[in-house]
Amino acid sequence: MKILAIESSCDDTSVAVIDNKLQVLSNIVSSQDKIHNRFGGVVPELASRSHLLAIQPVVTTALKKANVKLEDIGLITATQGPGLSGSLLVGFSYAKALSHVSSIPFVGVDHMAGHILAVLLENTGVSFPFIALIVSGGTSSIFRVDGHTSFSHIGRTRDDAAGEAFDKVAKILGLPYPGGPHVAALAKAGNPESIKFPRAWLGEGSLDFSFSGVKTSVLNHVNSLKQKGKISEQDKADICASFQAAVVEVLVEKTITAARSHKIDTVVVGGGVSANDYLRSEFKRACAQYNLQHYIPHPSFCTDNGAMIAVAGYYKYLQSGADPENTDVFSRSQLG
Ligand code: KG4
């Protein structure tokens, strides 16, 4: 069976075709970064309008690249939430309409399930249960995953998500949107120990995350440097490296704590922030230290993409069949 998947939860229009062996036949991403860059963040109305312009050509390109026709598709799936409602509605309505006119079954997918199961695109043998850390622009969450459709949400975002904090720090430093990759690039020239930014542990054993404090601390530090004069490129690099170290330390520690307290020896990391090189190397180091198996997908499967939605849609369909016609989008994750 071949699966056509549409992802439009935020500012990327992505369409993928995979088969039921989880081979990726195409995974097209149309980015809106240039549109939102000058505003320093995603403008919801512009995002939905851009999805509307992109959706048809991206679907056509994905089918063509996969060398399949619509009649070869056995399942249509799309992100149902969480995300920006206007953006979600474009991909979700398009997929439902396509399913209706072609009589191909349709299932809506929780975006988080997509990020969690993206790991299977390159490692079909990952065994359950595992602990998944999902870090993106919209969330920092830890899940206990007991099967392809069995997720327990055991740690969550209390304020700014990790990616959001990266984007806001980038904005404070005058870097382009989305800021994560720019902060990460500048951090390479900086000293991660030069500034001791706060780590929010939120009490012993807590698996929740709070990154608004570290972001405010960066803002205060930048303001005090500005009062003394100009901020040098080295100052910026040191701020990026120290901020990144503070965020990554908390992400790694809490994920390891979750694995050890649940007596689970496999850790999976996903979401846009997991494309970060420093985070990847810190997970490698910490998981080796605690004898944990760990998987982080290729960066192209970490950021929003259709292929991960296809995997989650396929397993949801195997578990519960097609969705009824009266399904709607949602803005909060329904997992666990
Ligand atoms: O998963 P994703 O593509 O979209 C959401 O669902 O949010 O994640 C986007 C987020 C943005 O905040 C972006 O700045 C961040 O992931 N990001 C990074 C890196 N690449 C993307 N953050 C830190 N380092 C990176 N290399």
Side-chain angles (χ1 to χ4, degrees), residues 64-314:
K64 200 169 167 194
K65 174 114 193 280
N67 202 18
V68 295
K69 297 195 163 46
L70 186 58
E71 50 267 35
D72 302 322
I73 300 291
L75 174 67
I76 296 174
T77 178
T79 306
Q80 190 165 8
L84 301 170
S85 313
S87 290
L88 287 165
L89 280 168
V90 176
F92 196 70
S93 306
Y94 185 97
K96 277 180 74 171
L98 201 58
S99 154
H100 188 74
V101 296
S102 61
S103 299
I104 299 170
F106 168 78
V107 291
V109 165
D110 194 302
H111 186 76
M112 295 296 175
H115 274 309
I116 294 168
L117 299 181
V119 67
L120 301 177
L121 290 163
E122 296 160 305
N123 306 278
T124 43
V126 176
S127 56
F128 299 101
F130 61 78
I131 293 292
L133 169 74
I134 303 304
V135 268
S136 68
T139 197
S140 320
S141 288
I142 300 182
F143 293 90
R144 178 190 163 113
V145 185
D146 284 286
H148 294 102
T149 57
S150 176
F151 311 95
S152 311
H153 202 171
I154 56 173
R156 58 192 79 226
T157 316
R158 290 217 190 149
D159 42 50
D160 289 354
E164 193 179 355
F166 267 93
D167 294 339
K168 286 178 177 171
V169 163
K171 200 171 179 181
I172 291 167
L173 294 172
L175 302 170
Y177 173 84
H182 298 281
V183 170
L186 259 184
K188 289 198 163 68
N191 174 4
E193 286 167 15
S194 55
I195 310 145
K196 191 74 185 160
F197 288 127
R199 277 79 168 147
W201 299 111
L202 305 175
E204 205 182 325
S206 170
L207 299 177
D208 287 351
F209 296 101
S210 164
F211 294 116
S212 72
V214 61
K215 170 207 67 190
T216 306
S217 205
V218 170
L219 180 63
N220 292 339
H221 184 80
V222 168
N223 284 341
S224 79
L225 284 179
K226 276 184 183 162
Q227 275 168 6
K228 288 179 202 150
K230 204 168 166 283
I231 305 181
S232 69
E233 282 309 300
Q234 189 57 50
D235 287 334
K236 284 190 184 177
D238 287 342
I239 291 167
C240 289
S242 301
F243 160 78
Q244 181 176 264
V247 171
V248 169
E249 185 182 326
V250 175
L251 294 173
V252 171
E253 282 277 329
K254 289 194 180 236
T255 307
I256 302 280
T257 301
R260 284 163 60 83
S261 62
H262 283 253
K263 301 194 170 25
I264 288 177
D265 63 6
T266 304
V267 164
V268 166
V269 188
V273 180
S274 60
N276 183 283
D277 287 340
Y278 179 75
L279 176 144
R280 296 170 90 92
S281 67
E282 281 300 288
F283 263 103
K284 189 173 178 191
R285 183 195 54 71
C287 288
Q289 183 184 342
Y290 289 101
N291 218 10
L292 300 170
Q293 183 94 342
H294 89 291
Y295 299 89
I296 310 182
H298 184 273
S300 61
F301 295 135
C302 290
T303 47
D304 289 350
N305 66 92
M308 70 182 197
I309 300 304
V311 181
Y314 174 59

